[in-house]
Amino acid sequence: MTSAPAPAPLVLGIESSCDETGVALVRGSALLGHAVASSVEEHVRFGGVVPEIASRAHLEALLPTLRRACEEAGATLADVDAVAVTAGPGLAGALLVGVAAAKALALGLDVPLLGVNHLVAHVAVDVLVSGALPERSVALLVSGGHTELLDVSSPAGQGVGALRVELLGQTLDDAAGEAFDKVARLLGLPYPGGPHVQRAAEGGDPAAYAFPRGLTAAHDLRRHPYDFSFSGLKTAVARQVEAHRRAGGEVDGAFVADVAASFSEAVADVLARKTVTAALDRGVGTVLLGGGVAANARVRGLLAERCEAAGLELRVPPLRLCTDNGAMVAALGALALADGLGPSPLDLATDPGLPVSTVVV
Ligand code: KG4
Ligand code: ZN
């Protein structure tokens, strides 16, 4: 008689690199429990994430969020077989809260600790949706804190130990989400700006203003084929708003709609253009999209259109898994554990600038 194979280990994932406190429980590629607390409301009056406020909010939210995730999974801490946590990149103080909690849990429960890379976790979350990572892919990560284009290679059956992640390009100034937030402010819309800009853009003409597409001129493409720059675009919007005011116009109605639509078009165009070029240059068949800006209908729509035209498969996880969360951390932790990686030392240091090539610290 053969006995049933042992179930995959239950991995607890903790995320605290920016303004979302995320905790989740994952077994293999199954997401069992998932809770997120966001401090976004506390940053509204400052128009952007204030690191000190974010750190304090993580401290307050961590245990209640942990409790919610366990309840949803129908599990107790005694069931946890390993603790994975974001070790970087991210805000220094915010990272410390999650890592300190993860160390205490790993020590108290006598289970392995895995300090993982936040950006790679955004890619690994696809395991919870698709069951396995594509063998080769280009990932576009766009949020309020980061904008990266990654080349990901994950040879089938070789585990996360064979996972190679290469940074192809990143923003030289503002992150894509940050650009949405700053443009929202110029248009008199609340923080976080992305959803408001999207709503305003709905009735607007995307061709009303020919806003610049950063780093797409021939000479820029030679030096920065896969890098992004959104500060010129933001300045162009500011100039348009200024000129409109000088001419006696109000910043409202059709003007806001046209600027929002033209701005969104410029962001979506650059993101889609560089991502598709990278995938074709690298001979990769799959594109992964992650980060809060994946919520943007025009970004998703244009990327989908251009991927289809280029014969590329586009994978976009459900939105709750695109924004920062504990499930992506647990998913990467589970892959690492299955592959015999780690454990990380209990004196694991946080690294706000952790390079994307380091999957597990
Ligand atoms: O991944 P995320 O939730 O977390 C952090 O970066 O902390 O991303 C938040 C960012 C914000 O900048 C927000 O304005 C942007 O994602 N965002 C959007 C949309 N929804 C959220 N940007 C454009 N369109 C949206 N619908
Ligand atoms: Zn993120």
Side-chain angles (χ1 to χ4, degrees):
M1 201 179 100
T2 53
S3 54
L10 185 67
V11 181
L12 175 75
I14 300 178
E15 156 62 32
S16 73
S17 67
C18 191
D19 60 343
E20 267 103 22
T21 314
V23 181
L25 284 154
V26 161
R27 196 188 287 284
S29 59
L31 174 57
L32 304 179
H34 169 82
V36 176
S38 174
S39 62
V40 67
E41 290 300 325
E42 296 176 53
H43 307 286
V44 167
R45 67 197 176 98
F46 302 102
V49 176
V50 181
E52 272 310 310
I53 294 178
S55 308
R56 193 164 293 273
H58 284 306
L59 212 50
E60 285 164 7
L62 218 140
L63 287 177
T65 311
L66 173 63
R67 249 175 243 127
R68 276 202 288 139
C70 286
E71 266 164 31
E72 192 181 305
T76 68
L77 286 178
D79 300 322
V80 170
D81 296 307
V83 180
V85 63
T86 298
L91 302 171
L95 288 168
L96 273 176
V97 179
V99 167
K103 285 178 181 176
L105 285 164
L107 186 66
L109 300 170
D110 193 22
V111 297
L113 171 72
L114 293 150
V116 304
N117 188 301
H118 177 84
L119 299 176
V120 181
H122 267 301
V123 174
V125 79
D126 184 49
V127 162
L128 303 177
V129 182
S130 311
L133 292 180
E135 287 200 24
R136 292 288 317 280
S137 60
V138 157
L140 172 67
L141 305 181
V142 275
S143 77
H146 43 85
T147 304
E148 288 91 13
L149 210 40
L150 311 177
D151 182 320
V152 184
S153 120
S154 172
Q158 291 184 39
V160 75
L163 180 67
R164 293 279 168 275
V165 185
E166 183 190 339
L167 181 67
L168 293 176
Q170 59 191 327
T171 182
L172 303 184
D173 38 62
D174 296 339
E178 203 180 348
F180 272 96
D181 297 336
K182 289 179 174 173
V183 161
R185 195 194 266 219
L186 290 169
L187 296 176
L189 301 170
Y191 173 86
H196 298 280
V197 171
Q198 172 166 331
R199 221 165 295 129
E202 273 161 21
D205 175 5
Y209 302 100
F211 287 136
R213 271 65 169 158
L215 300 181
T216 57
H219 64 279
D220 287 327
L221 280 177
R222 274 194 296 278
R223 283 188 55 210
H224 298 286
Y226 311 126
D227 289 323
F228 302 96
S229 166
F230 297 108
S231 75
L233 171 59
K234 174 192 65 192
T235 306
V237 171
R239 289 222 182 93
Q240 202 67 55
V241 170
E242 225 172 85
H244 181 73
R245 277 215 176 91
R246 240 184 290 119
E250 295 289 330
V251 179
D252 60 8
F255 175 73
V256 167
D258 285 348
V259 170
S262 302
F263 161 79
S264 305
E265 192 64 23
V267 174
D269 181 25
V270 176
L271 291 176
R273 221 193 280 186
K274 295 217 171 196
T275 304
V276 168
T277 304
L280 296 178
D281 287 353
R282 294 270 161 160
V284 162
T286 303
V287 168
L288 284 172
L289 177 63
V293 179
N296 189 271
R298 190 54 187 151
V299 168
R300 268 208 325 267
L302 196 58
L303 191 59
E305 230 173 72
R306 302 245 178 107
C307 280
E308 196 185 343
L312 299 166
E313 177 204 8
L314 174 64
R315 294 191 187 177
V316 191
L319 198 62
R320 69 191 184 116
L321 299 181
C322 276
T323 53
D324 291 348
N325 64 81
M328 64 192 213
V329 176
L332 180 52
L335 285 175
L337 199 66
D339 206 27
L341 293 186
S344 304
L346 276 178
D347 64 352
L348 164 75
T350 54
D351 184 352
L354 187 67
V356 75
S357 51
T358 303
V359 177
V360 177
V361 179

